[in-house]
Amino acid sequence: MPSSSLLDKAAKSKYMDLKTFGITQAMYIWVDGSGQSLRCKTRSLDKEIKEISDLPMWNFDGSSTGQAEGSNSDCFLKPCAMFNDPFRGAPNKLVLCEVLSYKMEAVETNHRQTCAGVMNQVKEDHPWFGMEQEYTLLDVDGHPFGWPKQGFPGPQGPYYCAVGTGNVYGREVVEAHYRACIYAGITISGTNAEVMPAQWEFQVGPCEGIKMGDHLWMARFLLHRVCEDFGVVASFDPKPMNGDWNGAGCHCNYSTEKMRLPGGFDEINNAVEKLSKRHNYHIQAYDPQGGKDNMRRLTGLHETSSIFDFSSGVANRQASIRIPRHVGEEKCGYLEDRRPSSNCDPYTVTEVIARTTILNEEGDVVLKLNC
């Protein structure tokens, strides 16, 4: 695999400093047919873009992204959220888009549309979400970045929130990504090294409603772009390394306005009770493979619960739902759903949480995990 880090970045910067004479470059970004990967392309606009309504719809070859047949391949990009471009600088923009079919209907992996509908229904409850995105840095050969090529680093223990050579792998990528997110306007709230070496986490939120999915997808895009510059790969695989190594999740912190107010602990407990009755339904929604990806991660080991059982508890990181200790003491706040996988679709995760806890939808499903 070729490494972009071998290219001369100084040569590129000479061209990036050239004047553009009033032309705005708008990079359109969308989720492809895998439901996990992102695609992008850029167009020139002869005006400064101030509102999402200033951006025209566009199209692309959906047969090359797994979203259309070759005989009828045009899909459409509907701009939905706009961010500052940290790579090209002002006034250029990054544009997150929904994908529509030739019938102008949402394609199968466009989960934003139904999520936006649900969030509109529950807007009076002011649902807040904060998602903890874990990921693993890989070298271009697919081996975790910084690991010995013919072996393994020392056992887990010294790497979580670590500092120092030998304990930290790839901080340069993390710092660059953090600043890129801030410049873009993403609600990034923090970052830390995780338990497995070369594994990291960044947190996005709190975001209300549909903004959670918009901001997390764009933060993922920025991570991939930053990794291009450093010649490494960001993996969202929920279990990138077999054996005694932690997997990667995307824990979802969640609250409604009533939960956040004094005395909101009863509302939190009510939400946990509702979630307990739809465990399989949520597991099915929490990774792109209907639970099959998460089955490798949710084993009951390495700070996870079992994929087959629902559990909850205060400060319990081996539970499906964790109630932070300070929430238990203050009797208000939020809950943490620890089940979503690192490669989950945040639109789907936040939608089903709102459906179950606010819209009071009921009924569970039978998981088909072929285990």
Side-chain angles (χ1 to χ4, degrees):
M1 182 187 296
S3 174
S4 63
S5 65
L6 301 177
L7 300 177
D8 189 339
K9 299 299 187 294
K12 175 189 172 186
S13 65
K14 177 176 65 176
Y15 298 99
M16 298 305 291
D17 290 338
L18 295 174
K19 293 182 180 180
T20 55
F21 303 104
I23 297 295
T24 296
Q25 292 173 279
M27 179 174 279
Y28 283 43
I29 300 158
W30 69 98
V31 181
D32 71 9
S34 71
Q36 303 180 58
S37 299
L38 290 157
R39 306 292 181 109
C40 62
K41 64 176 187 171
T42 302
R43 68 184 303 165
S44 298
L45 299 170
D46 60 358
K47 60 181 179 180
E48 184 174 352
I49 306 302
K50 297 181 178 180
E51 305 288 342
I52 198 75
S53 58
D54 294 335
L55 291 157
M57 289 187 66
W58 205 8
N59 59 61
F60 69 97
D61 172 16
S63 69
S64 296
T65 63
Q67 293 168 297
E69 297 294 331
S71 59
N72 191 6
S73 63
D74 279 3
C75 287
F76 295 90
L77 295 171
K78 177 185 176 183
C80 296
M82 183 172 66
F83 299 84
N84 299 322
D85 188 338
F87 306 104
R88 292 171 171 150
N92 304 299
K93 298 297 181 183
L94 302 177
V95 184
L96 190 65
C97 300
E98 286 188 22
V99 179
L100 306 178
S101 70
Y102 73 95
K103 295 181 179 180
M104 303 305 286
E105 298 172 348
V107 298
E108 185 178 356
T109 52
N110 175 2
H111 297 134
R112 188 185 189 278
Q113 196 168 98
T114 57
C115 181
V118 167
M119 293 307 168
N120 187 57
Q121 291 181 64
V122 302
K123 61 184 178 181
E124 299 302 321
D125 293 88
H126 300 288
W128 287 4
F129 303 92
M131 299 187 77
E132 306 170 23
Q133 178 66 70
E134 295 178 338
Y135 63 95
T136 307
L137 292 178
L138 307 177
D139 208 338
V140 291
D141 60 3
H143 199 62
F145 180 74
W147 285 32
K149 291 301 182 184
Q150 303 301 323
F152 300 91
Q156 295 184 152
Y159 310 111
Y160 173 69
C161 295
V163 64
T165 302
N167 292 333
V168 174
Y169 299 66
R171 191 185 297 277
E172 293 84 354
V173 173
V174 175
E175 294 294 340
H177 174 249
Y178 203 154
R179 289 296 181 93
C181 285
I182 292 172
Y183 181 91
I186 290 167
T187 309
I188 185 169
S189 50
T191 188
N192 60 269
E194 267 300 335
V195 176
M196 187 180 83
Q199 186 185 74
W200 292 83
E201 172 184 300
F202 63 88
Q203 302 92 34
V204 174
C207 296
E208 186 164 328
I210 195 66
K211 288 184 178 179
M212 183 67 254
D214 290 346
H215 282 231
L216 186 57
W217 272 118
M218 187 56 70
R220 288 175 174 175
F221 174 81
L222 293 182
L223 180 60
H224 287 306
R225 278 286 286 107
V226 167
C227 284
E228 283 184 30
D229 285 344
F230 286 95
V232 296
V233 176
S235 170
F236 295 109
D237 190 315
K239 187 68 174 178
M241 295 299 291
N242 294 325
D244 194 17
W245 304 102
N246 275 34
C250 193
H251 306 157
C252 184
N253 299 281
Y254 163 68
S255 68
T256 61
E257 186 173 46
K258 289 181 180 179
M259 293 180 190
R260 297 188 293 271
L261 293 174
F265 201 59
D266 286 343
E267 289 291 328
I268 294 172
N269 285 331
N270 288 339
V272 173
E273 178 66 20
K274 294 173 185 177
L275 290 167
S276 72
K277 296 177 179 178
R278 306 189 85 194
H279 176 64
N280 290 350
Y281 170 76
H282 282 260
I283 288 294
Q284 190 176 73
Y286 283 177
D287 80 52
Q289 307 301 325
K292 293 179 181 178
D293 280 348
N294 241 342
M295 188 167 64
R296 295 183 286 125
R297 166 182 162 258
L298 295 180
T299 61
L301 303 173
H302 304 113
E303 300 181 63
T304 69
S305 59
S306 168
I307 195 170
F308 301 107
D309 302 306
F310 181 88
S311 57
S312 63
V314 174
N316 185 355
R317 281 180 163 78
Q318 288 187 306
S320 308
I321 305 292
R322 180 181 73 96
I323 307 299
R325 187 171 301 283
H326 73 275
V327 172
E329 294 173 351
E330 297 171 6
K331 303 302 180 185
C332 63
Y334 63 95
L335 61 84
E336 178 194 35
D337 192 333
R338 297 177 60 81
R339 296 171 292 177
S341 66
S342 51
N343 61 344
C344 70
D345 187 328
Y347 295 130
T348 304
V349 171
T350 55
E351 176 185 338
V352 298
I353 289 175
R355 285 184 180 276
T356 297
T357 64
I358 303 177
L359 297 181
N360 298 316
E361 294 187 4
E362 299 178 343
D364 210 352
V365 299
V366 176
L367 290 175
K368 298 179 181 179
L369 300 179
N370 298 322
C371 57

